[in-house]
């Protein structure tokens, strides 16, 4: 319940004004709904007691006004409740995405994309539905129950006590049922999330599965997971049937209480005929909470389960220290001092030492699995050294906030990062502060149109407005776009992590032309297992099994007969 209260509080706090308006409208609507039967009671008693026509007309007029007001206030209340739910969940969605973007690598190792997306969509929708369809109606029902008992207390204390006892007994029965079987909905939702996660993995790895000929194995596993849900679905339906039976029993109890007690008191001349009507009318008002009982319990338990998963995303404790320093002086020097890192029990980096000065082009060379990419993640604070430290301008990166460090580094990997949007959005990554003139100036200076087949016969704003997607660009063209993005960021250090590994011959020369313009007078770190791409570097570190085994200028390393760098360089020359 703690996480449920935490998420619900966040949704409410972000909409104080809308929530206050909704609460006021709910109170007003509940009062009007309680007052309407009282007017009809007065009308019935007025007929019995032969009120004056003018007095009867006033009661009818008031009845009409209150009826119209109930309709209008009800629509207004529904609109304000919907707005509050929308605004709350949208704000929470943005906060969750913002936090996810700042989390370390462990977060993404423990959760796949399908699970995160399922929470962002389904779980937030569950909370939105809970606010609109359960929280507000329950608040109204509670007000109605309190109001009914208050009205009866003024008229006849015995009636008030009987209705109060019935309501308390009903709520206790509901509590016992919910307490006994409340986990079944949570377990069924968890199994549903597992199916979605596995389906997401299948889609993400479809190419590997198809080429390996493992479709039958994967589908068999999916079928097994789906079959495991059947007993949970059966138990869930049994739970719904039990709630339905309880609901019918309580509805019957309301009718019996209203008619039997009202009739008995009327024939003993203890209450008027109008009061009998009021008891029956209020009894019908109490029916609604019981009729909606199953839906409210289901919504509550679903929201409770969703809040657990949303809280898991919001309250994740990153393994990377987010330091207090928010500003960084212009970059002058980067030092790795005895840096060690391991994934579990597997050591990846062992006492790595490096020094990178401003304006230098540094190469980090090694075979796949040597630990090169781990270094880039440590530099960008996606990971944190388990031993040793990384110094930027003489200050430990643990003292800087993650955002400050990442803003100082521009990172390019081999990933095909293409958004299904315009060329403008793909170049600026949705930064609206960059105007079209600045973008076109850069593109014209690079002569970019000749590098991309989809840019032919396009120019100016039409070029920037042109929608592009993954199906329109090759891997090589996508990597050229990754390079072009860096012209629109304030970069102090650029890290290329195997950035040219997907470049083919058709765009290789274009890539290097843009690369040379981009890295001119900029501190650059080139991480690769291709020796030939480090010839322009000022200094190279060779990594082998997590250790720096050699370092120096590429020209000197090529001349060292037994160096690993020389060994791979000779292979390139021979080929």
């Amino acid at each position: 319940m703690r996480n449920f209260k935490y998420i619900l509080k966040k949704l409410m706090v972000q909409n104080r004004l809308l929530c206050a308006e909704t609460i006021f409208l709910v109170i007003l609507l509940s009062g009007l709904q309680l007052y309407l039967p009282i007017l009809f009671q007065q009308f019935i008693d007025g007929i019995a007691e032969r009120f004056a026509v003018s007095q009867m007309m006033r009661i009818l007029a008031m009845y009409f006004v209150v009826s119209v007001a109930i309709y209008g206030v009800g629509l207004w209340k529904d609109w304000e409740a919907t707005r509050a739910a929308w605004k709350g969940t949208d704000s929470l969605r943005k906060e969750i995405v913002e936090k996810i973007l700042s989390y370390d690598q462990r977060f993404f190792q423990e959760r796949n994309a399908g699970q995160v997306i399922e929470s962002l969509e389904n779980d937030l929708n569950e909370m939105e539905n809970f606010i609109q369809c359960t929280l507000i109606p329950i608040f109204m029902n509670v007000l109605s129950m309190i109001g009914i008992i208050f009205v009866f207390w003024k008229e006849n204390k015995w009636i008030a006590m009987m209705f109060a006892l019935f309501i308390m007994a009903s709520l206790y029965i509901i509590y016992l049922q919910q307490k006994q079987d409340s986990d079944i909905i949570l377990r069924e939702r968890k199994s549903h999330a597992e199916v979605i996660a596995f389906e997401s993995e299948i889609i993400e790895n479809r190419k590997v599965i198809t080429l390996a000929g493992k479709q039958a194995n994967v589908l068999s596993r999916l079928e097994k997971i789906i079959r495991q849900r059947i007993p949970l679905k059966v138990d869930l339906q049994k739970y719904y049937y039990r709630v339905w039976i309880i609901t019918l029993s309580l509805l019957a109890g309301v009718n019996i209480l209203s008619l039997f007690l009202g009739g008995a008191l009327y024939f003993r001349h203890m209450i008027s005929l109008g009061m009998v009507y009021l008891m029956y009318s209020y009894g019908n008002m109490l029916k609604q909470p019981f009729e909606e009982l199953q839906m409210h319990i289901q919504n509550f338990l679903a929201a409770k389960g969703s809040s657990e998963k949303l809280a898991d995303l919001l309250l994740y404790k990153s393994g990377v220290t987010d330091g207090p320093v928010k500003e960084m002086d212009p970059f002058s020097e980067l030092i790795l001092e005895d840096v060690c890192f391991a994934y579990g029990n597997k050591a990846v980096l062992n006492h790595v030492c490096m020094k990178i000065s401003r304006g230098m082009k540094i190469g980090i060379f090694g075979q796949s699995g040597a630990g090169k990419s781990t270094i880039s993640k440590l530099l960008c604070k996606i990971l944190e050294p388990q031993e040793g430290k990384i110094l930027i301008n003489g200050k430990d990166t643990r003292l800087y906030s993650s955002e400050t460090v990442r803003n100082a580094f521009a990172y390019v990997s081999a990933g095909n990062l293409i958004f299904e949007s315009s060329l403008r959005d793909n170049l600026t990554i949705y930064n609206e502060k960059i105007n079209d003139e600045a973008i076109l100036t850069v593109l014209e200076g690079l002569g970019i149109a000749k590098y991309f087949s989809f840019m032919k016969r396009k120019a100016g704003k039409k070029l920037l407005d042109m929608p592009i997607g993954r199906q329109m660009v090759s891997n090589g063209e996508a990597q050229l776009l990754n390079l072009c993005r860096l012209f629109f960021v304030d970069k102090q250090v650029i890290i290329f992590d195997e950035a040219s590994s997907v470049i083919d011959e058709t765009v290789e020369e274009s890539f290097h032309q843009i690369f040379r313009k981009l890295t001119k007078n900029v501190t650059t770190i080139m991480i690769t297992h291709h020796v030939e791409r480090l010839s322009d570097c000022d200094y190279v570190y060779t990594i082998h099994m997590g250790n720096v085994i050699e370092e120096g200028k590429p020209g000197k390393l090529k001349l060292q007969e037994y160096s690993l760098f020389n060994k791979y360089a000779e292979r390139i020359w021979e080929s």
Side-chain angles (χ1 to χ4, degrees), residues 54-183:
S54 60
Q55 190 175 355
M56 297 292 287
M57 292 302 295
R58 281 198 298 271
I59 293 173
L60 286 175
M62 182 62 70
Y63 188 90
F64 175 77
V65 170
V66 172
S67 299
V68 173
I70 287 174
Y71 181 75
V73 173
L75 289 176
W76 189 9
K77 181 267 300 179
D78 289 341
W79 171 240
E80 292 300 309
T82 301
R83 285 179 63 207
W86 286 348
K87 189 173 180 180
T89 52
D90 287 346
S91 299
L92 190 59
R93 178 181 282 106
K94 181 181 177 182
E95 182 180 348
I96 291 173
V97 172
E98 184 179 4
K99 283 183 174 291
I100 288 172
L101 291 174
S102 69
Y103 287 155
D104 60 3
Q105 184 169 302
R106 180 168 57 87
F107 175 87
F108 301 98
Q109 291 172 337
E110 295 173 352
R111 304 159 183 81
N112 61 38
Q115 291 171 316
V116 175
I117 291 170
E118 200 261 346
S119 285
L120 282 173
E121 296 306 318
N122 293 353
D123 292 325
L124 281 173
N125 287 340
E126 287 291 354
M127 295 305 298
E128 182 179 315
N129 180 67
F130 173 76
I131 293 172
Q132 291 179 250
C133 303
T134 296
L135 186 62
I136 301 299
I138 284 178
F139 181 49
M140 281 194 64
N141 292 338
V142 169
L143 289 177
S144 297
M145 290 177 184
I146 294 172
I148 287 170
I149 293 171
F150 176 76
V151 171
F152 283 148
W153 187 265
K154 289 181 65 179
E155 297 288 338
N156 188 298
K157 292 181 174 59
W158 287 106
I159 298 175
M161 286 190 288
M162 290 295 292
F163 269 87
L165 286 172
F166 177 80
I167 290 171
M168 287 189 289
S170 301
L171 293 176
Y172 183 67
I173 293 170
I174 293 167
Y175 167 75
L176 290 179
Q177 176 65 26
Q178 188 271 336
K179 184 178 180 181
Q180 180 182 351
D181 298 319
S182 63
D183 68 325

Side-chain angles (χ1 to χ4, degrees), residues 270-303:
M270 296 176 68
I271 59 174
S272 67
L273 186 62
M275 189 62 186
V276 175
Y277 165 79
L278 189 64
M279 289 177 63
Y280 180 76
S281 180
Y282 280 171
N284 281 330
M285 286 182 66
L286 288 176
K287 281 184 182 180
Q288 185 175 351
F290 298 135
E291 287 174 344
E292 297 173 349
L293 175 66
Q294 179 176 327
M295 181 190 74
H296 289 330
I297 292 175
Q298 182 180 351
N299 288 347
F300 167 70
L301 294 176

Side-chain angles (χ1 to χ4, degrees), residues 200-428:
S200 176
E201 289 177 355
I202 294 173
I203 293 170
E204 287 176 3
N205 300 297
R206 63 193 182 281
K207 186 176 180 181
V208 175
I209 294 169
T210 304
L211 294 177
K214 300 297 182 182
Q215 298 99 314
N217 295 350
V218 171
L219 291 174
S220 175
R221 176 62 177 168
L222 177 61
E223 185 180 0
K224 182 179 179 181
I225 294 174
I226 293 173
R227 280 202 307 269
Q228 289 173 348
R229 293 190 63 207
I230 294 175
L232 288 174
K233 287 184 174 182
V234 172
D235 289 343
L236 186 62
Q237 287 304 313
K238 289 179 180 178
Y239 169 71
Y240 287 152
Y241 288 142
R242 286 194 293 272
V243 172
W244 179 63
I245 291 170
I246 291 172
T247 302
L248 289 178
S249 302
L250 294 175
L251 289 175
V254 170
N255 287 328
I256 292 170
L257 178 65
S258 301
L259 295 175
F260 177 78
L261 184 62
L265 293 175
Y266 174 72
F267 286 116
R268 293 191 177 195
H269 305 289
M270 296 176 68
I271 59 174
S272 67
L273 186 62
M275 189 62 186
V276 175
Y277 165 79
L278 189 64
M279 289 177 63
Y280 180 76
S281 180
Y282 280 171
N284 281 330
M285 286 182 66
L286 288 176
K287 281 184 182 180
Q288 185 175 351
F290 298 135
E291 287 174 344
E292 297 173 349
L293 175 66
Q294 179 176 327
M295 181 190 74
H296 289 330
I297 292 175
Q298 182 180 351
N299 288 347
F300 167 70
L301 294 176
K304 184 179 175 184
S306 294
S307 65
E308 294 291 335
K309 292 194 284 182
L310 292 170
D312 177 60
L313 298 181
L314 278 169
L315 301 176
Y316 171 79
K317 300 296 183 184
S318 177
V320 174
T321 305
D322 194 28
V325 180
K326 303 295 184 183
E327 295 183 1
M328 182 185 295
D329 294 331
F331 176 80
S332 61
E333 190 175 61
L334 173 65
I335 297 175
L336 281 73
E337 286 187 358
D338 269 341
V339 171
C340 298
F341 191 84
Y343 295 106
N345 296 324
K346 182 183 177 183
V348 179
L349 296 176
N350 302 304
H351 303 286
V352 170
C353 296
M354 293 182 182
K355 183 177 180 180
I356 302 168
S357 299
R358 181 179 180 180
M360 291 184 69
K361 288 183 173 57
I362 299 297
I364 299 177
F365 166 73
Q367 298 169 291
S368 296
K372 307 183 302 299
S373 292
T374 300
I375 292 175
S376 70
K377 292 170 184 175
L378 289 167
L379 295 178
C380 295
K381 288 199 75 169
I382 297 173
L383 299 173
E384 186 171 292
Q386 293 160 346
E387 292 182 33
K389 54 188 176 181
I390 299 174
L391 305 175
I392 299 178
N393 299 341
K395 189 176 293 185
D396 194 328
T397 53
R398 294 181 180 90
L399 298 175
Y400 291 108
S401 70
S402 299
E403 184 179 4
T404 300
V405 172
R406 291 167 192 170
N407 286 339
F409 288 84
Y411 178 82
V412 183
S413 68
N416 184 353
L417 179 58
I418 297 294
F419 297 98
E420 298 291 330
S421 188
S422 66
L423 176 62
R424 176 191 296 102
D425 291 337
N426 270 278
L427 288 171
T428 63

